[in-house]
Amino acid sequence: HRRPARISLLEQRGQAGHQCVHAWLLHLQGKYAESEKRYQRAAEVNPRSLEARLGLMLPQMALYRWNDAIQSGRKVLADSPWNYTAHVRIMISEEALSRWEELAKHAAEVSARYPADATLLVYWARAEAALKRTRKARELYAQVLERVPGHIEAGNYLKNNPS
């Protein structure tokens, strides 16, 4: 009994899943270049895998390759425009690159889709604070405290930047 030359879709998904697990374990061990290769392999095996493409961002970020992480995130967003994880990882990268205007605009746009989310408001507030738009940053950090009472960063900003 010969095995078919083509891999079945189920086998393909299984292989991609195995690659993702292996990539994650390599990432946890600090083997970022190897992890990145495994995530790339998983994405090749199953090009529809958002998990593989999101995972690819992790070693890129760990290696401070922020622009690569942004590009990888944008590829996820091409298929899944409001994927929360991709947006947050792009925001982390925008912050690392001090792209404050981009981060403010991006966080505001995504926050409109996830209005109860405090994390997005924190990124937006950080961008506004970095841009010296203290009034807007105070407003956003106040909203963070409404969602997460006792949020340390928001509380400290409001305490240190009175109106």
Side-chain angles (χ1 to χ4, degrees):
H1 166 50
R2 282 184 49 188
R3 184 175 175 167
R6 290 176 37 119
I7 298 173
S8 75
L9 185 58
L10 188 59
E11 285 179 303
Q12 184 181 44
R13 287 184 182 152
Q15 285 181 11
H18 176 74
Q19 295 288 336
C20 284
V21 169
H22 194 189
W24 172 244
L25 293 173
L26 288 166
H27 179 79
L28 292 176
Q29 295 173 32
K31 297 177 180 178
Y32 304 126
E34 293 174 55
S35 173
E36 182 177 24
K37 286 177 188 167
R38 285 287 178 162
Y39 279 122
Q40 286 171 335
R41 176 73 183 119
E44 290 166 9
V45 170
N46 181 1
R48 296 177 59 197
S49 172
L50 293 177
E51 182 179 18
R53 289 186 282 152
L54 285 167
L56 183 58
M57 298 175 80
L58 294 171
Q60 292 170 338
M61 293 165 70
L63 294 167
Y64 306 106
R65 290 185 17 231
W66 306 112
N67 287 312
D68 290 341
I70 289 169
Q71 288 309 112
S72 293
R74 288 184 178 149
K75 289 177 184 175
V76 171
L77 297 178
D79 286 338
S80 182
W82 297 109
N83 183 290
Y84 180 87
T85 303
H87 279 290
V88 170
R89 289 180 185 171
I90 290 170
M91 285 181 215
I92 291 167
S93 300
E94 290 167 341
E95 180 182 33
L97 293 168
S98 302
R99 293 184 184 165
W100 303 117
E101 285 290 353
E102 284 179 48
L103 177 57
K105 183 179 180 219
H106 187 186
E109 188 176 318
V110 180
S111 185
R113 269 62 176 198
Y114 296 92
D117 189 86
T119 298
L120 300 171
L121 292 173
V122 168
Y123 280 104
W124 188 2
R126 287 178 185 168
E128 297 295 345
L131 292 165
K132 306 292 187 221
R133 298 194 290 234
T134 307
R135 184 180 307 153
K136 184 64 177 176
R138 283 186 53 76
E139 173 191 318
L140 293 165
Y141 276 125
Q143 290 179 41
V144 170
L145 286 175
E146 289 171 5
R147 289 155 179 78
V148 184
H151 190 280
I152 294 169
E153 179 180 336
N156 285 341
Y157 185 86
L158 294 173
K159 182 177 80 180
N160 295 326
N161 295 278
S163 50

